Amino acid sequence: METLAYLAPLFHIDVLGAIMLGTLGGLVIGALPGLTATMGVALLIPLTFGMPAVMGLNMLIGIYIGGIYGGCISSILLRTPGTPASAATVLDGYPMAQKGEAGKALGMATIASTIGGLVAAVVLAALAPQLASIALQFGAPEYFALALFGLTIIASLSGDLLKGAISGLLGILISCVGADPISGVLRYTFGVSGFASGFAFTPALIGLFALSEVFTLMERMARDEPNIQPVRGRWPSWQDMRESRGALIRGSLIGTLIGIIPGVGSGTASWISYNEARRSSPTPEKFGTGYAPGIAATESANNAVCAAALIPLLALGIPGDVVTAVLMGGLMIQGLAPGPIMFQTNPDVIVGIFGGTFLATIFMFIFGMALIPLFSRILAVPRHILAVAIMIFCFIGSFAINLNPVDLYTMVGFGVLGWFMQKFGFSQAALCIAMILGPMLEANLRRGLMQTHDDLFAFASGPLTILFLTLTVLSLGWPVLSRFLARRREAKTMTLETK
């Protein structure tokens, strides 16, 4: 009965309207090349400040789900991924559009995204409470080991291990600005009183992910606007659906599993799912030629990540990907601390998020199928109008939270930093999540050592602490080991070819 009472607010007209608006806005943001779901969530977090928690958070989740799905639109119509998560969709989506079947390709992407999202939402509702009950046993050493594990996963899965590690360490250094969490002594403020509590998190996110995209967009403005053909039709054939059944199921499960692992993300899930669908298909030669199962595999996987990435965020307080790292800012604005305690103190919000994830996925399907004929018009928005509008929202959103001019300097500074990082291949995701996990890492290390009187053996002797420290070592060692094994295989191959 309590669960039904917690779900009731979702069906108030204002909450439903917020979820619908968020999902539709995310779809448009994801469809436009250069604008990402991360940027959309970061940009609109300030709008949720005065909203009730369930309403504001579900609007952001709607932006997330709609944004990840929306990326397939430009992938299929323009051969330009709207978001990194939809890069693999280009392989079969664009050739299908070239055959005059763009509507069918978009319909398959919409259906696959919905199935993947619903499967992951069921797992979210079933698994997150179980993980949270285990996490209630955590003390300071366990939280330290968990935060360390989260940081190493992010660094090791950032494409370039060195650049990922540098980004993560820079994020930890930035998180040290402000008052010491134990003694309260000010650090690295350089006499600026506005930095006494550290960098304001939401303006930093807006700068890092939204303003940096504006700078990148301005670089691309010299290019000609694309010529997009009108889209007709929307439903894939029964034969397409039959051929895609295995890819849909496999992609949904792969996306859910990968979403649970912190720091991996939708892009990785879609590529793994595509490769598995092709490897297990009786007709692998059809992939890359405009084959519906290729679209089904990628879109079911990347949208399954959306709900699955909320599992570590809500249950453990560790973002599952970069969008949920930004979403963590929305939780903080509402005065909520994600983690196992939230299941005890705010069960209404937790159940509301579970239900809101289902509703956002359903709205994504409705809007996606209804707007397929109009998608070509969404992509025709001039880039210079987008750049100006986003920049205005960046400044208004950053200032509106605290009415503090220092937040504007923070936003611009992080915007320039994010632009340079993007330009030179450094991971903005690693920086962002390190800024979140850095204080958790430092505070629990020092608190745990104080509790054990600086006895490192006692600090690291708990079973959960040992488990996460072991996973940390494996996470750091695996990329190095895999590269070593790859070099050995290449050396053997060259030796055999020489002989």
Side-chain angles (χ1 to χ4, degrees), residues 374-389:
L374 302 178
F375 284 157
S376 57
R377 297 184 184 179
I378 293 174
L379 295 174
V381 177
R383 300 295 184 264
H384 63 277
I385 295 177
L386 278 177
V388 173

Side-chain angles (χ1 to χ4, degrees), residues 269-293:
S270 61
W271 282 110
I272 291 175
S273 178
Y274 184 83
N275 289 333
E276 284 300 308
R278 184 172 184 173
R279 187 181 60 81
S280 59
S281 172
T283 55
E285 68 280 357
K286 291 185 178 180
F287 282 80
T289 64
Y291 193 38

Side-chain angles (χ1 to χ4, degrees), residues 150-380:
L151 287 171
T152 54
I153 276 187
I154 293 161
S156 61
L157 292 173
S158 297
D160 187 313
L161 178 60
L162 178 61
K163 288 183 177 180
I166 291 171
S167 302
L169 291 171
L170 179 60
I172 293 175
L173 180 63
I174 290 172
S175 73
C176 291
V177 174
D180 182 285
I182 304 298
S183 67
V185 174
L186 295 182
R187 308 177 300 189
Y188 311 119
T189 60
F190 301 100
V192 180
S193 59
F195 294 149
S197 56
F199 291 110
F201 189 63
T202 303
L205 290 180
I206 292 173
L208 193 62
F209 294 104
L211 191 62
S212 63
E213 287 291 344
V214 173
F215 295 151
T216 304
L217 203 59
M218 289 167 70
E219 283 187 310
R220 298 173 182 162
M221 266 197 249
R223 300 178 185 176
D224 294 332
E225 295 294 331
N227 182 25
I228 306 131
Q229 298 299 319
V231 179
R232 297 180 181 87
R234 68 189 77 187
W235 294 102
S237 66
W238 283 112
Q239 183 180 350
D240 290 331
M241 293 303 300
R242 280 197 303 271
E243 291 176 340
S244 302
R245 280 180 302 182
L248 286 169
I249 296 169
R250 195 179 299 106
S252 300
L253 295 176
I254 288 173
T256 302
L257 290 173
I258 288 177
I260 294 172
I261 302 172
V264 185
S266 305
T268 305
S270 61
W271 282 110
I272 291 175
S273 178
Y274 184 83
N275 289 333
E276 284 300 308
R278 184 172 184 173
R279 187 181 60 81
S280 59
S281 172
T283 55
E285 68 280 357
K286 291 185 178 180
F287 282 80
T289 64
Y291 193 38
I295 299 173
T298 60
E299 289 300 309
S300 59
N302 63 30
N303 274 268
V305 170
C306 297
L310 294 172
I311 295 173
L313 174 67
L314 296 176
L316 304 174
I318 291 183
D321 64 0
V322 65
V323 189
T324 49
V326 178
L327 190 60
M328 199 168 184
L331 287 163
M332 291 175 176
I333 278 184
Q334 297 289 345
L336 301 170
I341 302 300
M342 189 173 166
F343 283 76
Q344 305 267 324
T345 57
N346 302 98
D348 56 328
V349 176
I350 294 291
V351 175
I353 288 174
F354 292 167
T357 305
F358 277 97
L359 288 175
T361 305
I362 298 298
F363 287 137
M364 177 199 73
F365 175 77
I366 294 170
F367 288 134
M369 296 305 294
L371 297 177
I372 281 176
L374 302 178
F375 284 157
S376 57
R377 297 184 184 179
I378 293 174
L379 295 174

Side-chain angles (χ1 to χ4, degrees), residues 474-495:
L474 292 174
S475 175
L476 283 175
W478 174 248
V480 177
L481 180 61
S482 61
R483 289 177 186 175
F484 173 74
L485 293 174
R487 278 197 291 266
R488 283 196 62 181
R489 281 196 297 269
E490 287 176 8
K492 285 183 180 179
T493 304
M494 290 178 66
T495 304

